[in-house]
Amino acid sequence: MANLTSIQHGDVLVVGFTESKIIDTLRIRQTGKELHESIPQAVCKKLLVNFRGVSLMSSEMLQQLINLRVSCLNQGVDLKLCELSPNLMTIFRTTTLDSNFDIHRDEEKAVASFSRK
């Protein structure tokens, strides 16, 4: 079963999650694999990860996101995140990951921000 969905929004590949809680180790590993597989699918080098509906994730999933960020940097893909719940934003702020990711309130603003570079 796929853990991610993906749609093309203009020249931005938008991936989202199928689960509201990302805490199971096996699912996290599969999700990380799917996230990395989405990098080459971002043919315009623009990848947006939308957290709509995600209420909880483990620290192991945070590591997957850090790995994704590094891979995107190495491959010249612009990565942004959006629609993090208040709970997830607290986790990102507490771990200072909010300063390492370009995070936007909603998908429309995030997509628009790609063209401002």
mmCIF file of all heavy atoms in Angstrom, residues 12-56:
data_model
loop_
_atom_site.group_PDB
_atom_site.id
_atom_site.type_symbol
_atom_site.label_atom_id
_atom_site.label_comp_id
_atom_site.label_asym_id
_atom_site.label_seq_id
_atom_site.Cartn_x
_atom_site.Cartn_y
_atom_site.Cartn_z
ATOM 1 N N VAL A 12 5.255 22.069 -10.001
ATOM 2 C CA VAL A 12 5.629 21.593 -8.668
ATOM 3 C C VAL A 12 5.014 20.205 -8.430
ATOM 4 O O VAL A 12 3.813 20.015 -8.626
ATOM 5 C CB VAL A 12 5.136 22.568 -7.570
ATOM 6 C CG1 VAL A 12 5.483 22.044 -6.186
ATOM 7 C CG2 VAL A 12 5.704 23.967 -7.792
ATOM 8 N N LEU A 13 5.841 19.250 -8.012
ATOM 9 C CA LEU A 13 5.324 17.945 -7.607
ATOM 10 C C LEU A 13 4.933 18.043 -6.138
ATOM 11 O O LEU A 13 5.769 18.388 -5.286
ATOM 12 C CB LEU A 13 6.378 16.853 -7.793
ATOM 13 C CG LEU A 13 5.926 15.450 -7.364
ATOM 14 C CD1 LEU A 13 4.776 14.963 -8.242
ATOM 15 C CD2 LEU A 13 7.087 14.480 -7.396
ATOM 16 N N VAL A 14 3.669 17.768 -5.835
ATOM 17 C CA VAL A 14 3.159 17.834 -4.462
ATOM 18 C C VAL A 14 2.894 16.407 -3.982
ATOM 19 O O VAL A 14 2.138 15.668 -4.601
ATOM 20 C CB VAL A 14 1.846 18.656 -4.380
ATOM 21 C CG1 VAL A 14 1.346 18.720 -2.942
ATOM 22 C CG2 VAL A 14 2.051 20.053 -4.952
ATOM 23 N N VAL A 15 3.558 16.039 -2.894
ATOM 24 C CA VAL A 15 3.309 14.730 -2.293
ATOM 25 C C VAL A 15 2.631 14.933 -0.947
ATOM 26 O O VAL A 15 2.890 15.902 -0.245
ATOM 27 C CB VAL A 15 4.602 13.887 -2.144
ATOM 28 C CG1 VAL A 15 5.186 13.549 -3.490
ATOM 29 C CG2 VAL A 15 5.617 14.565 -1.265
ATOM 30 N N GLY A 16 1.740 14.024 -0.620
ATOM 31 C CA GLY A 16 1.009 14.066 0.641
ATOM 32 C C GLY A 16 0.980 12.685 1.264
ATOM 33 O O GLY A 16 1.357 11.692 0.635
ATOM 34 N N PHE A 17 0.519 12.615 2.470
ATOM 35 C CA PHE A 17 0.521 11.376 3.239
ATOM 36 C C PHE A 17 -0.872 10.751 3.273
ATOM 37 O O PHE A 17 -1.870 11.454 3.286
ATOM 38 C CB PHE A 17 0.998 11.652 4.664
ATOM 39 C CG PHE A 17 2.407 12.181 4.706
ATOM 40 C CD1 PHE A 17 2.660 13.543 4.653
ATOM 41 C CD2 PHE A 17 3.474 11.308 4.787
ATOM 42 C CE1 PHE A 17 3.954 14.036 4.683
ATOM 43 C CE2 PHE A 17 4.777 11.789 4.811
ATOM 44 C CZ PHE A 17 5.016 13.150 4.758
ATOM 45 N N THR A 18 -0.917 9.432 3.313
ATOM 46 C CA THR A 18 -2.196 8.721 3.366
ATOM 47 C C THR A 18 -2.618 8.390 4.793
ATOM 48 O O THR A 18 -3.738 7.966 5.019
ATOM 49 C CB THR A 18 -2.140 7.409 2.545
ATOM 50 O OG1 THR A 18 -1.120 6.568 3.080
ATOM 51 C CG2 THR A 18 -1.876 7.698 1.076
ATOM 52 N N GLU A 19 -1.714 8.573 5.749
ATOM 53 C CA GLU A 19 -1.996 8.261 7.151
ATOM 54 C C GLU A 19 -1.943 9.531 7.992
ATOM 55 O O GLU A 19 -1.150 10.425 7.721
ATOM 56 C CB GLU A 19 -0.966 7.263 7.695
ATOM 57 C CG GLU A 19 -0.934 5.935 6.976
ATOM 58 C CD GLU A 19 -2.124 5.067 7.284
ATOM 59 O OE1 GLU A 19 -2.595 5.091 8.439
ATOM 60 O OE2 GLU A 19 -2.578 4.361 6.377
ATOM 61 N N SER A 20 -2.736 9.569 9.050
ATOM 62 C CA SER A 20 -2.696 10.730 9.946
ATOM 63 C C SER A 20 -1.631 10.586 11.025
ATOM 64 O O SER A 20 -1.162 11.578 11.571
ATOM 65 C CB SER A 20 -4.063 10.946 10.587
ATOM 66 O OG SER A 20 -4.386 9.849 11.417
ATOM 67 N N LYS A 21 -1.233 9.360 11.318
ATOM 68 C CA LYS A 21 -0.195 9.108 12.316
ATOM 69 C C LYS A 21 0.927 8.310 11.653
ATOM 70 O O LYS A 21 0.688 7.206 11.159
ATOM 71 C CB LYS A 21 -0.762 8.348 13.509
ATOM 72 C CG LYS A 21 -1.786 9.161 14.272
ATOM 73 C CD LYS A 21 -2.358 8.410 15.429
ATOM 74 C CE LYS A 21 -3.407 9.278 16.127
ATOM 75 N NZ LYS A 21 -4.100 8.563 17.166
ATOM 76 N N ILE A 22 2.109 8.885 11.670
ATOM 77 C CA ILE A 22 3.257 8.237 11.034
ATOM 78 C C ILE A 22 4.202 7.822 12.151
ATOM 79 O O ILE A 22 5.147 8.535 12.488
ATOM 80 C CB ILE A 22 3.931 9.190 10.031
ATOM 81 C CG1 ILE A 22 2.904 9.781 9.079
ATOM 82 C CG2 ILE A 22 5.020 8.459 9.255
ATOM 83 C CD1 ILE A 22 3.425 10.897 8.207
ATOM 84 N N ILE A 23 3.912 6.643 12.727
ATOM 85 C CA ILE A 23 4.671 6.212 13.901
ATOM 86 C C ILE A 23 5.180 4.772 13.803
ATOM 87 O O ILE A 23 6.076 4.397 14.552
ATOM 88 C CB ILE A 23 3.837 6.392 15.197
ATOM 89 C CG1 ILE A 23 2.475 5.718 15.070
ATOM 90 C CG2 ILE A 23 3.668 7.865 15.522
ATOM 91 C CD1 ILE A 23 1.629 5.768 16.325
ATOM 92 N N ASP A 24 4.658 3.985 12.903
ATOM 93 C CA ASP A 24 5.066 2.588 12.751
ATOM 94 C C ASP A 24 6.379 2.510 11.972
ATOM 95 O O ASP A 24 6.497 3.069 10.880
ATOM 96 C CB ASP A 24 3.963 1.815 12.026
ATOM 97 C CG ASP A 24 4.361 0.398 11.730
ATOM 98 O OD1 ASP A 24 4.440 -0.402 12.682
ATOM 99 O OD2 ASP A 24 4.625 0.103 10.538
ATOM 100 N N THR A 25 7.363 1.822 12.515
ATOM 101 C CA THR A 25 8.706 1.761 11.925
ATOM 102 C C THR A 25 8.685 1.267 10.476
ATOM 103 O O THR A 25 9.334 1.865 9.613
ATOM 104 C CB THR A 25 9.629 0.880 12.780
ATOM 105 O OG1 THR A 25 9.726 1.456 14.082
ATOM 106 C CG2 THR A 25 11.011 0.770 12.175
ATOM 107 N N LEU A 26 7.968 0.200 10.199
ATOM 108 C CA LEU A 26 7.938 -0.327 8.831
ATOM 109 C C LEU A 26 7.308 0.661 7.856
ATOM 110 O O LEU A 26 7.811 0.861 6.745
ATOM 111 C CB LEU A 26 7.205 -1.668 8.783
ATOM 112 C CG LEU A 26 7.900 -2.828 9.494
ATOM 113 C CD1 LEU A 26 7.027 -4.066 9.483
ATOM 114 C CD2 LEU A 26 9.260 -3.099 8.874
ATOM 115 N N ARG A 27 6.233 1.306 8.271
ATOM 116 C CA ARG A 27 5.580 2.294 7.405
ATOM 117 C C ARG A 27 6.471 3.523 7.209
ATOM 118 O O ARG A 27 6.499 4.116 6.137
ATOM 119 C CB ARG A 27 4.224 2.690 7.972
ATOM 120 C CG ARG A 27 3.211 1.529 7.893
ATOM 121 C CD ARG A 27 1.832 1.965 8.244
ATOM 122 N NE ARG A 27 1.206 2.717 7.187
ATOM 123 C CZ ARG A 27 0.598 2.202 6.118
ATOM 124 N NH1 ARG A 27 0.592 0.907 5.939
ATOM 125 N NH2 ARG A 27 0.017 2.972 5.244
ATOM 126 N N ILE A 28 7.193 3.891 8.243
ATOM 127 C CA ILE A 28 8.098 5.038 8.135
ATOM 128 C C ILE A 28 9.201 4.745 7.120
ATOM 129 O O ILE A 28 9.526 5.589 6.285
ATOM 130 C CB ILE A 28 8.687 5.408 9.505
ATOM 131 C CG1 ILE A 28 7.590 6.018 10.377
ATOM 132 C CG2 ILE A 28 9.871 6.358 9.367
ATOM 133 C CD1 ILE A 28 7.967 6.170 11.822
ATOM 134 N N ARG A 29 9.755 3.561 7.188
ATOM 135 C CA ARG A 29 10.806 3.191 6.223
ATOM 136 C C ARG A 29 10.253 3.194 4.806
ATOM 137 O O ARG A 29 10.903 3.686 3.883
ATOM 138 C CB ARG A 29 11.391 1.839 6.583
ATOM 139 C CG ARG A 29 12.236 1.909 7.827
ATOM 140 C CD ARG A 29 12.880 0.604 8.157
ATOM 141 N NE ARG A 29 13.577 0.736 9.436
ATOM 142 C CZ ARG A 29 13.754 -0.268 10.276
ATOM 143 N NH1 ARG A 29 13.313 -1.462 9.984
ATOM 144 N NH2 ARG A 29 14.386 -0.067 11.406
ATOM 145 N N GLN A 30 9.061 2.663 4.628
ATOM 146 C CA GLN A 30 8.442 2.656 3.297
ATOM 147 C C GLN A 30 8.137 4.085 2.849
ATOM 148 O O GLN A 30 8.344 4.436 1.691
ATOM 149 C CB GLN A 30 7.159 1.807 3.304
ATOM 150 C CG GLN A 30 6.446 1.753 1.971
ATOM 151 C CD GLN A 30 7.281 1.132 0.872
ATOM 152 O OE1 GLN A 30 8.086 0.237 1.104
ATOM 153 N NE2 GLN A 30 7.106 1.612 -0.343
ATOM 154 N N THR A 31 7.655 4.907 3.766
ATOM 155 C CA THR A 31 7.365 6.303 3.436
ATOM 156 C C THR A 31 8.649 7.025 3.031
ATOM 157 O O THR A 31 8.666 7.775 2.054
ATOM 158 C CB THR A 31 6.704 7.017 4.636
ATOM 159 O OG1 THR A 31 5.487 6.344 4.956
ATOM 160 C CG2 THR A 31 6.414 8.469 4.321
ATOM 161 N N GLY A 32 9.729 6.803 3.766
ATOM 162 C CA GLY A 32 11.015 7.398 3.419
ATOM 163 C C GLY A 32 11.469 6.977 2.037
ATOM 164 O O GLY A 32 11.950 7.805 1.251
ATOM 165 N N LYS A 33 11.286 5.707 1.733
ATOM 166 C CA LYS A 33 11.641 5.191 0.400
ATOM 167 C C LYS A 33 10.808 5.893 -0.671
ATOM 168 O O LYS A 33 11.336 6.335 -1.705
ATOM 169 C CB LYS A 33 11.420 3.680 0.368
ATOM 170 C CG LYS A 33 11.773 3.016 -0.938
ATOM 171 C CD LYS A 33 11.596 1.509 -0.829
ATOM 172 C CE LYS A 33 11.974 0.836 -2.112
ATOM 173 N NZ LYS A 33 10.837 0.465 -2.924
ATOM 174 N N GLU A 34 9.513 6.007 -0.432
ATOM 175 C CA GLU A 34 8.633 6.669 -1.397
ATOM 176 C C GLU A 34 8.992 8.151 -1.554
ATOM 177 O O GLU A 34 8.941 8.688 -2.663
ATOM 178 C CB GLU A 34 7.170 6.513 -0.988
ATOM 179 C CG GLU A 34 6.650 5.095 -1.135
ATOM 180 C CD GLU A 34 5.217 4.938 -0.653
ATOM 181 O OE1 GLU A 34 4.436 5.899 -0.712
ATOM 182 O OE2 GLU A 34 4.877 3.818 -0.194
ATOM 183 N N LEU A 35 9.343 8.813 -0.462
ATOM 184 C CA LEU A 35 9.754 10.217 -0.544
ATOM 185 C C LEU A 35 10.993 10.359 -1.426
ATOM 186 O O LEU A 35 11.056 11.241 -2.282
ATOM 187 C CB LEU A 35 10.035 10.789 0.848
ATOM 188 C CG LEU A 35 8.815 11.163 1.684
ATOM 189 C CD1 LEU A 35 9.214 11.428 3.128
ATOM 190 C CD2 LEU A 35 8.103 12.370 1.085
ATOM 191 N N HIS A 36 11.963 9.484 -1.229
ATOM 192 C CA HIS A 36 13.177 9.548 -2.044
ATOM 193 C C HIS A 36 12.895 9.225 -3.508
ATOM 194 O O HIS A 36 13.520 9.794 -4.400
ATOM 195 C CB HIS A 36 14.262 8.636 -1.464
ATOM 196 C CG HIS A 36 14.992 9.280 -0.336
ATOM 197 N ND1 HIS A 36 14.510 9.274 0.947
ATOM 198 C CD2 HIS A 36 16.139 9.988 -0.316
ATOM 199 C CE1 HIS A 36 15.342 9.942 1.719
ATOM 200 N NE2 HIS A 36 16.336 10.386 0.983
ATOM 201 N N GLU A 37 11.959 8.329 -3.748
ATOM 202 C CA GLU A 37 11.584 7.999 -5.124
ATOM 203 C C GLU A 37 10.869 9.162 -5.808
ATOM 204 O O GLU A 37 10.836 9.238 -7.035
ATOM 205 C CB GLU A 37 10.700 6.754 -5.150
ATOM 206 C CG GLU A 37 11.460 5.481 -4.811
ATOM 207 C CD GLU A 37 10.562 4.278 -4.596
ATOM 208 O OE1 GLU A 37 9.311 4.434 -4.552
ATOM 209 O OE2 GLU A 37 11.105 3.166 -4.460
ATOM 210 N N SER A 38 10.319 10.079 -5.019
ATOM 211 C CA SER A 38 9.627 11.231 -5.613
ATOM 212 C C SER A 38 10.606 12.286 -6.133
ATOM 213 O O SER A 38 10.240 13.106 -6.967
ATOM 214 C CB SER A 38 8.652 11.857 -4.608
ATOM 215 O OG SER A 38 9.340 12.462 -3.544
ATOM 216 N N ILE A 39 11.846 12.262 -5.668
ATOM 217 C CA ILE A 39 12.818 13.279 -6.087
ATOM 218 C C ILE A 39 12.994 13.292 -7.608
ATOM 219 O O ILE A 39 12.859 14.349 -8.226
ATOM 220 C CB ILE A 39 14.164 13.115 -5.346
ATOM 221 C CG1 ILE A 39 13.972 13.370 -3.850
ATOM 222 C CG2 ILE A 39 15.218 14.067 -5.915
ATOM 223 C CD1 ILE A 39 15.188 13.031 -3.004
ATOM 224 N N PRO A 40 13.276 12.162 -8.253
ATOM 225 C CA PRO A 40 13.434 12.215 -9.707
ATOM 226 C C PRO A 40 12.124 12.518 -10.453
ATOM 227 O O PRO A 40 12.151 12.968 -11.598
ATOM 228 C CB PRO A 40 13.970 10.834 -10.091
ATOM 229 C CG PRO A 40 13.887 9.982 -8.891
ATOM 230 C CD PRO A 40 13.614 10.858 -7.707
ATOM 231 N N GLN A 41 10.997 12.298 -9.799
ATOM 232 C CA GLN A 41 9.701 12.613 -10.421
ATOM 233 C C GLN A 41 9.457 14.118 -10.458
ATOM 234 O O GLN A 41 8.610 14.581 -11.215
ATOM 235 C CB GLN A 41 8.572 11.922 -9.657
ATOM 236 C CG GLN A 41 8.617 10.411 -9.733
ATOM 237 C CD GLN A 41 7.571 9.780 -8.825
ATOM 238 O OE1 GLN A 41 6.591 10.404 -8.442
ATOM 239 N NE2 GLN A 41 7.795 8.528 -8.466
ATOM 240 N N ALA A 42 10.188 14.873 -9.653
ATOM 241 C CA ALA A 42 10.068 16.335 -9.640
ATOM 242 C C ALA A 42 10.914 16.868 -10.796
ATOM 243 O O ALA A 42 12.004 17.400 -10.600
ATOM 244 C CB ALA A 42 10.523 16.900 -8.304
ATOM 245 N N VAL A 43 10.413 16.704 -12.005
ATOM 246 C CA VAL A 43 11.187 17.008 -13.209
ATOM 247 C C VAL A 43 11.570 18.482 -13.304
ATOM 248 O O VAL A 43 12.573 18.823 -13.910
ATOM 249 C CB VAL A 43 10.468 16.534 -14.492
ATOM 250 C CG1 VAL A 43 10.392 15.018 -14.532
ATOM 251 C CG2 VAL A 43 9.092 17.151 -14.599
ATOM 252 N N CYS A 44 10.813 19.362 -12.696
ATOM 253 C CA CYS A 44 11.150 20.795 -12.698
ATOM 254 C C CYS A 44 11.942 21.185 -11.459
ATOM 255 O O CYS A 44 12.101 22.368 -11.170
ATOM 256 C CB CYS A 44 9.881 21.638 -12.824
ATOM 257 S SG CYS A 44 9.061 21.429 -14.415
ATOM 258 N N LYS A 45 12.399 20.168 -10.713
ATOM 259 C CA LYS A 45 13.239 20.388 -9.524
ATOM 260 C C LYS A 45 12.518 21.158 -8.417
ATOM 261 O O LYS A 45 13.124 21.913 -7.669
ATOM 262 C CB LYS A 45 14.543 21.096 -9.887
ATOM 263 C CG LYS A 45 15.365 20.386 -10.941
ATOM 264 C CD LYS A 45 16.001 19.163 -10.375
ATOM 265 C CE LYS A 45 16.970 18.552 -11.387
ATOM 266 N NZ LYS A 45 17.475 17.278 -10.944
ATOM 267 N N LYS A 46 11.191 20.936 -8.310
ATOM 268 C CA LYS A 46 10.388 21.586 -7.276
ATOM 269 C C LYS A 46 9.525 20.529 -6.596
ATOM 270 O O LYS A 46 8.653 19.936 -7.235
ATOM 271 C CB LYS A 46 9.499 22.674 -7.881
ATOM 272 C CG LYS A 46 10.298 23.776 -8.558
ATOM 273 C CD LYS A 46 9.392 24.737 -9.280
ATOM 274 C CE LYS A 46 10.203 25.796 -10.019
ATOM 275 N NZ LYS A 46 9.337 26.719 -10.759
ATOM 276 N N LEU A 47 9.771 20.305 -5.308
ATOM 277 C CA LEU A 47 9.067 19.275 -4.558
ATOM 278 C C LEU A 47 8.447 19.883 -3.308
ATOM 279 O O LEU A 47 9.126 20.532 -2.513
ATOM 280 C CB LEU A 47 10.047 18.156 -4.167
ATOM 281 C CG LEU A 47 9.497 17.003 -3.343
ATOM 282 C CD1 LEU A 47 8.386 16.256 -4.089
ATOM 283 C CD2 LEU A 47 10.621 16.043 -2.979
ATOM 284 N N LEU A 48 7.160 19.662 -3.151
ATOM 285 C CA LEU A 48 6.417 20.156 -1.991
ATOM 286 C C LEU A 48 5.841 18.961 -1.245
ATOM 287 O O LEU A 48 5.138 18.141 -1.832
ATOM 288 C CB LEU A 48 5.292 21.096 -2.435
ATOM 289 C CG LEU A 48 4.352 21.607 -1.345
ATOM 290 C CD1 LEU A 48 5.109 22.408 -0.298
ATOM 291 C CD2 LEU A 48 3.241 22.441 -1.968
ATOM 292 N N VAL A 49 6.136 18.875 0.052
ATOM 293 C CA VAL A 49 5.579 17.821 0.896
ATOM 294 C C VAL A 49 4.476 18.455 1.729
ATOM 295 O O VAL A 49 4.723 19.345 2.540
ATOM 296 C CB VAL A 49 6.656 17.183 1.796
ATOM 297 C CG1 VAL A 49 6.038 16.090 2.661
ATOM 298 C CG2 VAL A 49 7.798 16.622 0.953
ATOM 299 N N ASN A 50 3.249 17.994 1.500
ATOM 300 C CA ASN A 50 2.072 18.538 2.174
ATOM 301 C C ASN A 50 1.675 17.609 3.324
ATOM 302 O O ASN A 50 1.425 16.430 3.118
ATOM 303 C CB ASN A 50 0.918 18.672 1.180
ATOM 304 C CG ASN A 50 -0.255 19.426 1.759
ATOM 305 O OD1 ASN A 50 -0.568 19.304 2.933
ATOM 306 N ND2 ASN A 50 -0.936 20.194 0.930
ATOM 307 N N PHE A 51 1.617 18.159 4.522
ATOM 308 C CA PHE A 51 1.296 17.391 5.725
ATOM 309 C C PHE A 51 -0.175 17.477 6.112
ATOM 310 O O PHE A 51 -0.525 17.151 7.246
ATOM 311 C CB PHE A 51 2.171 17.859 6.891
ATOM 312 C CG PHE A 51 3.595 17.397 6.781
ATOM 313 C CD1 PHE A 51 4.504 18.113 6.018
ATOM 314 C CD2 PHE A 51 4.004 16.247 7.410
ATOM 315 C CE1 PHE A 51 5.818 17.695 5.902
ATOM 316 C CE2 PHE A 51 5.311 15.808 7.307
ATOM 317 C CZ PHE A 51 6.225 16.536 6.548
ATOM 318 N N ARG A 52 -1.034 17.876 5.187
ATOM 319 C CA ARG A 52 -2.472 17.976 5.476
ATOM 320 C C ARG A 52 -2.975 16.651 6.051
ATOM 321 O O ARG A 52 -2.766 15.583 5.491
ATOM 322 C CB ARG A 52 -3.248 18.304 4.202
ATOM 323 C CG ARG A 52 -4.745 18.447 4.430
ATOM 324 C CD ARG A 52 -5.506 18.705 3.131
ATOM 325 N NE ARG A 52 -4.988 19.898 2.472
ATOM 326 C CZ ARG A 52 -4.668 19.946 1.163
ATOM 327 N NH1 ARG A 52 -4.784 18.877 0.406
ATOM 328 N NH2 ARG A 52 -4.223 21.066 0.645
ATOM 329 N N GLY A 53 -3.606 16.727 7.198
ATOM 330 C CA GLY A 53 -4.187 15.534 7.820
ATOM 331 C C GLY A 53 -3.253 14.761 8.728
ATOM 332 O O GLY A 53 -3.680 13.849 9.428
ATOM 333 N N VAL A 54 -1.974 15.113 8.745
ATOM 334 C CA VAL A 54 -1.021 14.401 9.612
ATOM 335 C C VAL A 54 -1.021 15.073 10.985
ATOM 336 O O VAL A 54 -0.764 16.261 11.098
ATOM 337 C CB VAL A 54 0.404 14.407 9.017
ATOM 338 C CG1 VAL A 54 1.383 13.730 9.968
ATOM 339 C CG2 VAL A 54 0.422 13.737 7.651
ATOM 340 N N SER A 55 -1.332 14.285 11.996
ATOM 341 C CA SER A 55 -1.403 14.847 13.349
ATOM 342 C C SER A 55 -0.230 14.436 14.233
ATOM 343 O O SER A 55 0.055 15.098 15.227
ATOM 344 C CB SER A 55 -2.709 14.416 14.020
ATOM 345 O OG SER A 55 -2.777 13.000 14.087
ATOM 346 N N LEU A 56 0.449 13.355 13.856
ATOM 347 C CA LEU A 56 1.507 12.835 14.712
ATOM 348 C C LEU A 56 2.525 12.092 13.870
ATOM 349 O O LEU A 56 2.168 11.376 12.936
ATOM 350 C CB LEU A 56 0.902 11.880 15.750
ATOM 351 C CG LEU A 56 1.813 11.243 16.780
ATOM 352 C CD1 LEU A 56 2.406 12.301 17.706
ATOM 353 C CD2 LEU A 56 1.048 10.203 17.585
#
